[in-house]
Amino acid sequence: MTVCTLLGDRDTPDSMWKNIEAAVTLMIRNFNVDFFYIGHEGSFDEMAETILFNLCSEYPHVGYNVVLSVSSDTHFSPLEIYEKNLCPFFRHKDSSKEVVLKELNRWMIDEADYILIHTKSPLSDVSELRKYARRKNKTIIPLCCE
């Protein structure tokens, strides 16, 4: 299995849709990626999730998980987890959501062969994750432009 993690700014504009879709399709066709991890925070993740959902009908061998941090009192039905490809991680009451999200993003990077990244700001959380991916010697593919 070849895995790709998609990371992008929470406020990624809708104008990036075609770029994300083209990059994901390229990963499937040219890099033999057959599994993706995406987050659940913001517009980039929403676009990526919808794109992957649509592409899975064209490429039935491809799968993905939406990795998200939830509180211990959050409940999902098995059908909801299945239909939305959710991969919930439950945080302890004494862990902040920000700390858990940072760890989840690092976990997704650790599990991936490729990292597809879109960010406009060198000071964003995504830029910090890019540095982490470089330290882990991951193949990073930047998504360009709007």
Side-chain angles (χ1 to χ4, degrees), residues 117-138:
I117 290 184
H118 172 67
T119 185
K120 292 183 96 176
S121 170
L123 303 175
S124 74
D125 292 339
V126 175
S127 289
E128 290 301 314
L129 291 169
R130 179 187 317 223
K131 292 175 188 173
Y132 177 78
R134 279 191 187 125
R135 286 193 307 270
K136 293 292 186 170
N137 294 316
K138 298 296 178 170

mmCIF file with all atom_site columns, all heavy atoms in Angstrom, residues 117-138:
data_model
loop_
_atom_site.group_PDB
_atom_site.id
_atom_site.type_symbol
_atom_site.label_atom_id
_atom_site.label_alt_id
_atom_site.label_comp_id
_atom_site.label_asym_id
_atom_site.label_entity_id
_atom_site.label_seq_id
_atom_site.pdbx_PDB_ins_code
_atom_site.Cartn_x
_atom_site.Cartn_y
_atom_site.Cartn_z
_atom_site.occupancy
_atom_site.B_iso_or_equiv
_atom_site.pdbx_formal_charge
_atom_site.auth_seq_id
_atom_site.auth_comp_id
_atom_site.auth_asym_id
_atom_site.auth_atom_id
_atom_site.pdbx_PDB_model_num
ATOM 1   N N   . ILE A 1 117 ? 1.152  19.118 0.220  1.00 0.00 ? 117 ILE A N   1
ATOM 2   C CA  . ILE A 1 117 ? 1.004  20.278 1.115  1.00 0.00 ? 117 ILE A CA  1
ATOM 3   C C   . ILE A 1 117 ? 0.615  21.525 0.351  1.00 0.00 ? 117 ILE A C   1
ATOM 4   O O   . ILE A 1 117 ? 1.169  21.821 -0.711 1.00 0.00 ? 117 ILE A O   1
ATOM 5   C CB  . ILE A 1 117 ? 2.326  20.545 1.876  1.00 0.00 ? 117 ILE A CB  1
ATOM 6   C CG1 . ILE A 1 117 ? 2.589  19.443 2.887  1.00 0.00 ? 117 ILE A CG1 1
ATOM 7   C CG2 . ILE A 1 117 ? 2.299  21.890 2.562  1.00 0.00 ? 117 ILE A CG2 1
ATOM 8   C CD1 . ILE A 1 117 ? 3.811  19.666 3.747  1.00 0.00 ? 117 ILE A CD1 1
ATOM 9   N N   . HIS A 1 118 ? -0.329 22.266 0.927  1.00 0.00 ? 118 HIS A N   1
ATOM 10  C CA  . HIS A 1 118 ? -0.652 23.601 0.425  1.00 0.00 ? 118 HIS A CA  1
ATOM 11  C C   . HIS A 1 118 ? -0.670 24.585 1.588  1.00 0.00 ? 118 HIS A C   1
ATOM 12  O O   . HIS A 1 118 ? -1.408 24.395 2.564  1.00 0.00 ? 118 HIS A O   1
ATOM 13  C CB  . HIS A 1 118 ? -2.008 23.641 -0.265 1.00 0.00 ? 118 HIS A CB  1
ATOM 14  C CG  . HIS A 1 118 ? -2.426 25.037 -0.606 1.00 0.00 ? 118 HIS A CG  1
ATOM 15  N ND1 . HIS A 1 118 ? -1.761 25.795 -1.550 1.00 0.00 ? 118 HIS A ND1 1
ATOM 16  C CD2 . HIS A 1 118 ? -3.396 25.813 -0.106 1.00 0.00 ? 118 HIS A CD2 1
ATOM 17  C CE1 . HIS A 1 118 ? -2.324 26.984 -1.622 1.00 0.00 ? 118 HIS A CE1 1
ATOM 18  N NE2 . HIS A 1 118 ? -3.313 27.014 -0.751 1.00 0.00 ? 118 HIS A NE2 1
ATOM 19  N N   . THR A 1 119 ? 0.156  25.614 1.486  1.00 0.00 ? 119 THR A N   1
ATOM 20  C CA  . THR A 1 119 ? 0.128  26.699 2.465  1.00 0.00 ? 119 THR A CA  1
ATOM 21  C C   . THR A 1 119 ? 0.630  27.969 1.804  1.00 0.00 ? 119 THR A C   1
ATOM 22  O O   . THR A 1 119 ? 1.461  27.917 0.895  1.00 0.00 ? 119 THR A O   1
ATOM 23  C CB  . THR A 1 119 ? 0.964  26.381 3.720  1.00 0.00 ? 119 THR A CB  1
ATOM 24  O OG1 . THR A 1 119 ? 0.776  27.434 4.670  1.00 0.00 ? 119 THR A OG1 1
ATOM 25  C CG2 . THR A 1 119 ? 2.429  26.224 3.406  1.00 0.00 ? 119 THR A CG2 1
ATOM 26  N N   . LYS A 1 120 ? 0.114  29.092 2.249  1.00 0.00 ? 120 LYS A N   1
ATOM 27  C CA  . LYS A 1 120 ? 0.557  30.386 1.724  1.00 0.00 ? 120 LYS A CA  1
ATOM 28  C C   . LYS A 1 120 ? 1.470  31.108 2.701  1.00 0.00 ? 120 LYS A C   1
ATOM 29  O O   . LYS A 1 120 ? 2.194  31.999 2.322  1.00 0.00 ? 120 LYS A O   1
ATOM 30  C CB  . LYS A 1 120 ? -0.651 31.257 1.410  1.00 0.00 ? 120 LYS A CB  1
ATOM 31  C CG  . LYS A 1 120 ? -1.477 30.737 0.245  1.00 0.00 ? 120 LYS A CG  1
ATOM 32  C CD  . LYS A 1 120 ? -2.597 31.661 -0.057 1.00 0.00 ? 120 LYS A CD  1
ATOM 33  C CE  . LYS A 1 120 ? -2.138 32.576 -1.167 1.00 0.00 ? 120 LYS A CE  1
ATOM 34  N NZ  . LYS A 1 120 ? -3.189 33.474 -1.630 1.00 0.00 ? 120 LYS A NZ  1
ATOM 35  N N   . SER A 1 121 ? 1.421  30.711 3.955  1.00 0.00 ? 121 SER A N   1
ATOM 36  C CA  . SER A 1 121 ? 2.166  31.429 4.978  1.00 0.00 ? 121 SER A CA  1
ATOM 37  C C   . SER A 1 121 ? 3.317  30.593 5.535  1.00 0.00 ? 121 SER A C   1
ATOM 38  O O   . SER A 1 121 ? 3.109  29.454 5.952  1.00 0.00 ? 121 SER A O   1
ATOM 39  C CB  . SER A 1 121 ? 1.234  31.814 6.134  1.00 0.00 ? 121 SER A CB  1
ATOM 40  O OG  . SER A 1 121 ? 1.981  32.305 7.219  1.00 0.00 ? 121 SER A OG  1
ATOM 41  N N   . PRO A 1 122 ? 4.512  31.171 5.578  1.00 0.00 ? 122 PRO A N   1
ATOM 42  C CA  . PRO A 1 122 ? 5.633  30.433 6.166  1.00 0.00 ? 122 PRO A CA  1
ATOM 43  C C   . PRO A 1 122 ? 5.512  30.285 7.683  1.00 0.00 ? 122 PRO A C   1
ATOM 44  O O   . PRO A 1 122 ? 6.257  29.534 8.294  1.00 0.00 ? 122 PRO A O   1
ATOM 45  C CB  . PRO A 1 122 ? 6.856  31.275 5.794  1.00 0.00 ? 122 PRO A CB  1
ATOM 46  C CG  . PRO A 1 122 ? 6.324  32.629 5.517  1.00 0.00 ? 122 PRO A CG  1
ATOM 47  C CD  . PRO A 1 122 ? 4.907  32.464 5.040  1.00 0.00 ? 122 PRO A CD  1
ATOM 48  N N   . LEU A 1 123 ? 4.540  30.972 8.272  1.00 0.00 ? 123 LEU A N   1
ATOM 49  C CA  . LEU A 1 123 ? 4.352  30.909 9.720  1.00 0.00 ? 123 LEU A CA  1
ATOM 50  C C   . LEU A 1 123 ? 3.181  30.012 10.130 1.00 0.00 ? 123 LEU A C   1
ATOM 51  O O   . LEU A 1 123 ? 2.865  29.918 11.309 1.00 0.00 ? 123 LEU A O   1
ATOM 52  C CB  . LEU A 1 123 ? 4.136  32.323 10.278 1.00 0.00 ? 123 LEU A CB  1
ATOM 53  C CG  . LEU A 1 123 ? 5.250  33.324 9.983  1.00 0.00 ? 123 LEU A CG  1
ATOM 54  C CD1 . LEU A 1 123 ? 4.868  34.712 10.486 1.00 0.00 ? 123 LEU A CD1 1
ATOM 55  C CD2 . LEU A 1 123 ? 6.556  32.873 10.592 1.00 0.00 ? 123 LEU A CD2 1
ATOM 56  N N   . SER A 1 124 ? 2.545  29.361 9.179  1.00 0.00 ? 124 SER A N   1
ATOM 57  C CA  . SER A 1 124 ? 1.360  28.558 9.491  1.00 0.00 ? 124 SER A CA  1
ATOM 58  C C   . SER A 1 124 ? 1.736  27.229 10.139 1.00 0.00 ? 124 SER A C   1
ATOM 59  O O   . SER A 1 124 ? 2.884  26.794 10.097 1.00 0.00 ? 124 SER A O   1
ATOM 60  C CB  . SER A 1 124 ? 0.560  28.296 8.213  1.00 0.00 ? 124 SER A CB  1
ATOM 61  O OG  . SER A 1 124 ? 1.231  27.342 7.416  1.00 0.00 ? 124 SER A OG  1
ATOM 62  N N   . ASP A 1 125 ? 0.729  26.587 10.714 1.00 0.00 ? 125 ASP A N   1
ATOM 63  C CA  . ASP A 1 125 ? 0.914  25.244 11.278 1.00 0.00 ? 125 ASP A CA  1
ATOM 64  C C   . ASP A 1 125 ? 1.369  24.267 10.197 1.00 0.00 ? 125 ASP A C   1
ATOM 65  O O   . ASP A 1 125 ? 2.176  23.374 10.455 1.00 0.00 ? 125 ASP A O   1
ATOM 66  C CB  . ASP A 1 125 ? -0.398 24.726 11.889 1.00 0.00 ? 125 ASP A CB  1
ATOM 67  C CG  . ASP A 1 125 ? -0.805 25.492 13.127 1.00 0.00 ? 125 ASP A CG  1
ATOM 68  O OD1 . ASP A 1 125 ? 0.070  26.135 13.746 1.00 0.00 ? 125 ASP A OD1 1
ATOM 69  O OD2 . ASP A 1 125 ? -2.003 25.449 13.476 1.00 0.00 ? 125 ASP A OD2 1
ATOM 70  N N   . VAL A 1 126 ? 0.871  24.445 8.978  1.00 0.00 ? 126 VAL A N   1
ATOM 71  C CA  . VAL A 1 126 ? 1.233  23.559 7.877  1.00 0.00 ? 126 VAL A CA  1
ATOM 72  C C   . VAL A 1 126 ? 2.717  23.692 7.545  1.00 0.00 ? 126 VAL A C   1
ATOM 73  O O   . VAL A 1 126 ? 3.392  22.703 7.249  1.00 0.00 ? 126 VAL A O   1
ATOM 74  C CB  . VAL A 1 126 ? 0.337  23.823 6.637  1.00 0.00 ? 126 VAL A CB  1
ATOM 75  C CG1 . VAL A 1 126 ? 0.779  22.988 5.451  1.00 0.00 ? 126 VAL A CG1 1
ATOM 76  C CG2 . VAL A 1 126 ? -1.116 23.541 6.968  1.00 0.00 ? 126 VAL A CG2 1
ATOM 77  N N   . SER A 1 127 ? 3.247  24.910 7.628  1.00 0.00 ? 127 SER A N   1
ATOM 78  C CA  . SER A 1 127 ? 4.687  25.096 7.390  1.00 0.00 ? 127 SER A CA  1
ATOM 79  C C   . SER A 1 127 ? 5.512  24.357 8.436  1.00 0.00 ? 127 SER A C   1
ATOM 80  O O   . SER A 1 127 ? 6.558  23.778 8.123  1.00 0.00 ? 127 SER A O   1
ATOM 81  C CB  . SER A 1 127 ? 5.040  26.583 7.397  1.00 0.00 ? 127 SER A CB  1
ATOM 82  O OG  . SER A 1 127 ? 4.520  27.207 6.248  1.00 0.00 ? 127 SER A OG  1
ATOM 83  N N   . GLU A 1 128 ? 5.046  24.356 9.667  1.00 0.00 ? 128 GLU A N   1
ATOM 84  C CA  . GLU A 1 128 ? 5.736  23.602 10.718 1.00 0.00 ? 128 GLU A CA  1
ATOM 85  C C   . GLU A 1 128 ? 5.678  22.099 10.429 1.00 0.00 ? 128 GLU A C   1
ATOM 86  O O   . GLU A 1 128 ? 6.639  21.378 10.655 1.00 0.00 ? 128 GLU A O   1
ATOM 87  C CB  . GLU A 1 128 ? 5.124  23.910 12.088 1.00 0.00 ? 128 GLU A CB  1
ATOM 88  C CG  . GLU A 1 128 ? 5.409  25.304 12.580 1.00 0.00 ? 128 GLU A CG  1
ATOM 89  C CD  . GLU A 1 128 ? 6.905  25.582 12.708 1.00 0.00 ? 128 GLU A CD  1
ATOM 90  O OE1 . GLU A 1 128 ? 7.635  24.733 13.254 1.00 0.00 ? 128 GLU A OE1 1
ATOM 91  O OE2 . GLU A 1 128 ? 7.344  26.644 12.235 1.00 0.00 ? 128 GLU A OE2 1
ATOM 92  N N   . LEU A 1 129 ? 4.548  21.643 9.917  1.00 0.00 ? 129 LEU A N   1
ATOM 93  C CA  . LEU A 1 129 ? 4.417  20.222 9.567  1.00 0.00 ? 129 LEU A CA  1
ATOM 94  C C   . LEU A 1 129 ? 5.323  19.863 8.395  1.00 0.00 ? 129 LEU A C   1
ATOM 95  O O   . LEU A 1 129 ? 5.855  18.761 8.333  1.00 0.00 ? 129 LEU A O   1
ATOM 96  C CB  . LEU A 1 129 ? 2.962  19.890 9.251  1.00 0.00 ? 129 LEU A CB  1
ATOM 97  C CG  . LEU A 1 129 ? 2.020  19.946 10.453 1.00 0.00 ? 129 LEU A CG  1
ATOM 98  C CD1 . LEU A 1 129 ? 0.566  19.866 10.008 1.00 0.00 ? 129 LEU A CD1 1
ATOM 99  C CD2 . LEU A 1 129 ? 2.346  18.849 11.442 1.00 0.00 ? 129 LEU A CD2 1
ATOM 100 N N   . ARG A 1 130 ? 5.521  20.791 7.473  1.00 0.00 ? 130 ARG A N   1
ATOM 101 C CA  . ARG A 1 130 ? 6.451  20.554 6.361  1.00 0.00 ? 130 ARG A CA  1
ATOM 102 C C   . ARG A 1 130 ? 7.857  20.325 6.910  1.00 0.00 ? 130 ARG A C   1
ATOM 103 O O   . ARG A 1 130 ? 8.567  19.421 6.467  1.00 0.00 ? 130 ARG A O   1
ATOM 104 C CB  . ARG A 1 130 ? 6.448  21.738 5.405  1.00 0.00 ? 130 ARG A CB  1
ATOM 105 C CG  . ARG A 1 130 ? 7.402  21.563 4.233  1.00 0.00 ? 130 ARG A CG  1
ATOM 106 C CD  . ARG A 1 130 ? 7.512  22.805 3.404  1.00 0.00 ? 130 ARG A CD  1
ATOM 107 N NE  . ARG A 1 130 ? 6.210  23.399 3.202  1.00 0.00 ? 130 ARG A NE  1
ATOM 108 C CZ  . ARG A 1 130 ? 5.768  23.879 2.070  1.00 0.00 ? 130 ARG A CZ  1
ATOM 109 N NH1 . ARG A 1 130 ? 6.530  23.858 1.020  1.00 0.00 ? 130 ARG A NH1 1
ATOM 110 N NH2 . ARG A 1 130 ? 4.577  24.405 1.981  1.00 0.00 ? 130 ARG A NH2 1
ATOM 111 N N   . LYS A 1 131 ? 8.260  21.132 7.887  1.00 0.00 ? 131 LYS A N   1
ATOM 112 C CA  . LYS A 1 131 ? 9.585  20.962 8.498  1.00 0.00 ? 131 LYS A CA  1
ATOM 113 C C   . LYS A 1 131 ? 9.694  19.594 9.157  1.00 0.00 ? 131 LYS A C   1
ATOM 114 O O   . LYS A 1 131 ? 10.717 18.920 9.055  1.00 0.00 ? 131 LYS A O   1
ATOM 115 C CB  . LYS A 1 131 ? 9.850  22.073 9.518  1.00 0.00 ? 131 LYS A CB  1
ATOM 116 C CG  . LYS A 1 131 ? 10.020 23.440 8.900  1.00 0.00 ? 131 LYS A CG  1
ATOM 117 C CD  . LYS A 1 131 ? 10.161 24.498 9.972  1.00 0.00 ? 131 LYS A CD  1
ATOM 118 C CE  . LYS A 1 131 ? 10.124 25.891 9.373  1.00 0.00 ? 131 LYS A CE  1
ATOM 119 N NZ  . LYS A 1 131 ? 10.091 26.935 10.390 1.00 0.00 ? 131 LYS A NZ  1
ATOM 120 N N   . TYR A 1 132 ? 8.641  19.190 9.832  1.00 0.00 ? 132 TYR A N   1
ATOM 121 C CA  . TYR A 1 132 ? 8.629  17.876 10.469 1.00 0.00 ? 132 TYR A CA  1
ATOM 122 C C   . TYR A 1 132 ? 8.767  16.771 9.410  1.00 0.00 ? 132 TYR A C   1
ATOM 123 O O   . TYR A 1 132 ? 9.548  15.830 9.576  1.00 0.00 ? 132 TYR A O   1
ATOM 124 C CB  . TYR A 1 132 ? 7.335  17.693 11.274 1.00 0.00 ? 132 TYR A CB  1
ATOM 125 C CG  . TYR A 1 132 ? 7.215  16.338 11.913 1.00 0.00 ? 132 TYR A CG  1
ATOM 126 C CD1 . TYR A 1 132 ? 7.913  16.041 13.083 1.00 0.00 ? 132 TYR A CD1 1
ATOM 127 C CD2 . TYR A 1 132 ? 6.428  15.338 11.345 1.00 0.00 ? 132 TYR A CD2 1
ATOM 128 C CE1 . TYR A 1 132 ? 7.819  14.792 13.677 1.00 0.00 ? 132 TYR A CE1 1
ATOM 129 C CE2 . TYR A 1 132 ? 6.328  14.087 11.926 1.00 0.00 ? 132 TYR A CE2 1
ATOM 130 C CZ  . TYR A 1 132 ? 7.027  13.816 13.086 1.00 0.00 ? 132 TYR A CZ  1
ATOM 131 O OH  . TYR A 1 132 ? 6.939  12.573 13.666 1.00 0.00 ? 132 TYR A OH  1
ATOM 132 N N   . ALA A 1 133 ? 8.025  16.897 8.314  1.00 0.00 ? 133 ALA A N   1
ATOM 133 C CA  . ALA A 1 133 ? 8.088  15.894 7.247  1.00 0.00 ? 133 ALA A CA  1
ATOM 134 C C   . ALA A 1 133 ? 9.489  15.833 6.637  1.00 0.00 ? 133 ALA A C   1
ATOM 135 O O   . ALA A 1 133 ? 9.977  14.749 6.310  1.00 0.00 ? 133 ALA A O   1
ATOM 136 C CB  . ALA A 1 133 ? 7.048  16.214 6.176  1.00 0.00 ? 133 ALA A CB  1
ATOM 137 N N   . ARG A 1 134 ? 10.136 16.971 6.507  1.00 0.00 ? 134 ARG A N   1
ATOM 138 C CA  . ARG A 1 134 ? 11.516 16.981 5.986  1.00 0.00 ? 134 ARG A CA  1
ATOM 139 C C   . ARG A 1 134 ? 12.452 16.227 6.932  1.00 0.00 ? 134 ARG A C   1
ATOM 140 O O   . ARG A 1 134 ? 13.313 15.474 6.483  1.00 0.00 ? 134 ARG A O   1
ATOM 141 C CB  . ARG A 1 134 ? 12.001 18.418 5.813  1.00 0.00 ? 134 ARG A CB  1
ATOM 142 C CG  . ARG A 1 134 ? 11.538 19.066 4.555  1.00 0.00 ? 134 ARG A CG  1
ATOM 143 C CD  . ARG A 1 134 ? 12.262 20.386 4.313  1.00 0.00 ? 134 ARG A CD  1
ATOM 144 N NE  . ARG A 1 134 ? 11.657 21.050 3.185  1.00 0.00 ? 134 ARG A NE  1
ATOM 145 C CZ  . ARG A 1 134 ? 11.182 22.271 3.210  1.00 0.00 ? 134 ARG A CZ  1
ATOM 146 N NH1 . ARG A 1 134 ? 11.246 23.006 4.298  1.00 0.00 ? 134 ARG A NH1 1
ATOM 147 N NH2 . ARG A 1 134 ? 10.646 22.804 2.132  1.00 0.00 ? 134 ARG A NH2 1
ATOM 148 N N   . ARG A 1 135 ? 12.291 16.468 8.231  1.00 0.00 ? 135 ARG A N   1
ATOM 149 C CA  . ARG A 1 135 ? 13.134 15.761 9.200  1.00 0.00 ? 135 ARG A CA  1
ATOM 150 C C   . ARG A 1 135 ? 12.921 14.256 9.134  1.00 0.00 ? 135 ARG A C   1
ATOM 151 O O   . ARG A 1 135 ? 13.822 13.477 9.413  1.00 0.00 ? 135 ARG A O   1
ATOM 152 C CB  . ARG A 1 135 ? 12.863 16.277 10.618 1.00 0.00 ? 135 ARG A CB  1
ATOM 153 C CG  . ARG A 1 135 ? 13.436 17.643 10.907 1.00 0.00 ? 135 ARG A CG  1
ATOM 154 C CD  . ARG A 1 135 ? 13.435 17.978 12.385 1.00 0.00 ? 135 ARG A CD  1
ATOM 155 N NE  . ARG A 1 135 ? 12.160 17.839 13.044 1.00 0.00 ? 135 ARG A NE  1
ATOM 156 C CZ  . ARG A 1 135 ? 11.242 18.810 13.165 1.00 0.00 ? 135 ARG A CZ  1
ATOM 157 N NH1 . ARG A 1 135 ? 11.467 19.993 12.651 1.00 0.00 ? 135 ARG A NH1 1
ATOM 158 N NH2 . ARG A 1 135 ? 10.118 18.585 13.790 1.00 0.00 ? 135 ARG A NH2 1
ATOM 159 N N   . LYS A 1 136 ? 11.721 13.848 8.756  1.00 0.00 ? 136 LYS A N   1
ATOM 160 C CA  . LYS A 1 136 ? 11.393 12.423 8.640  1.00 0.00 ? 136 LYS A CA  1
ATOM 161 C C   . LYS A 1 136 ? 11.721 11.867 7.257  1.00 0.00 ? 136 LYS A C   1
ATOM 162 O O   . LYS A 1 136 ? 11.389 10.717 6.953  1.00 0.00 ? 136 LYS A O   1
ATOM 163 C CB  . LYS A 1 136 ? 9.900  12.199 8.934  1.00 0.00 ? 136 LYS A CB  1
ATOM 164 C CG  . LYS A 1 136 ? 9.513  12.469 10.376 1.00 0.00 ? 136 LYS A CG  1
ATOM 165 C CD  . LYS A 1 136 ? 10.140 11.427 11.249 1.00 0.00 ? 136 LYS A CD  1
ATOM 166 C CE  . LYS A 1 136 ? 9.675  11.539 12.673 1.00 0.00 ? 136 LYS A CE  1
ATOM 167 N NZ  . LYS A 1 136 ? 10.099 10.402 13.480 1.00 0.00 ? 136 LYS A NZ  1
ATOM 168 N N   . ASN A 1 137 ? 12.346 12.695 6.429  1.00 0.00 ? 137 ASN A N   1
ATOM 169 C CA  . ASN A 1 137 ? 12.744 12.295 5.066  1.00 0.00 ? 137 ASN A CA  1
ATOM 170 C C   . ASN A 1 137 ? 11.573 11.831 4.206  1.00 0.00 ? 137 ASN A C   1
ATOM 171 O O   . ASN A 1 137 ? 11.694 10.882 3.426  1.00 0.00 ? 137 ASN A O   1
ATOM 172 C CB  . ASN A 1 137 ? 13.824 11.213 5.110  1.00 0.00 ? 137 ASN A CB  1
ATOM 173 C CG  . ASN A 1 137 ? 15.098 11.729 5.698  1.00 0.00 ? 137 ASN A CG  1
ATOM 174 O OD1 . ASN A 1 137 ? 15.541 12.830 5.367  1.00 0.00 ? 137 ASN A OD1 1
ATOM 175 N ND2 . ASN A 1 137 ? 15.691 10.958 6.608  1.00 0.00 ? 137 ASN A ND2 1
ATOM 176 N N   . LYS A 1 138 ? 10.438 12.498 4.346  1.00 0.00 ? 138 LYS A N   1
ATOM 177 C CA  . LYS A 1 138 ? 9.267  12.186 3.536  1.00 0.00 ? 138 LYS A CA  1
ATOM 178 C C   . LYS A 1 138 ? 9.346  12.939 2.210  1.00 0.00 ? 138 LYS A C   1
ATOM 179 O O   . LYS A 1 138 ? 9.937  14.021 2.124  1.00 0.00 ? 138 LYS A O   1
ATOM 180 C CB  . LYS A 1 138 ? 7.976  12.591 4.270  1.00 0.00 ? 138 LYS A CB  1
ATOM 181 C CG  . LYS A 1 138 ? 7.758  11.854 5.570  1.00 0.00 ? 138 LYS A CG  1
ATOM 182 C CD  . LYS A 1 138 ? 7.565  10.369 5.338  1.00 0.00 ? 138 LYS A CD  1
ATOM 183 C CE  . LYS A 1 138 ? 7.400  9.624  6.638  1.00 0.00 ? 138 LYS A CE  1
ATOM 184 N NZ  . LYS A 1 138 ? 6.982  8.249  6.455  1.00 0.00 ? 138 LYS A NZ  1
#
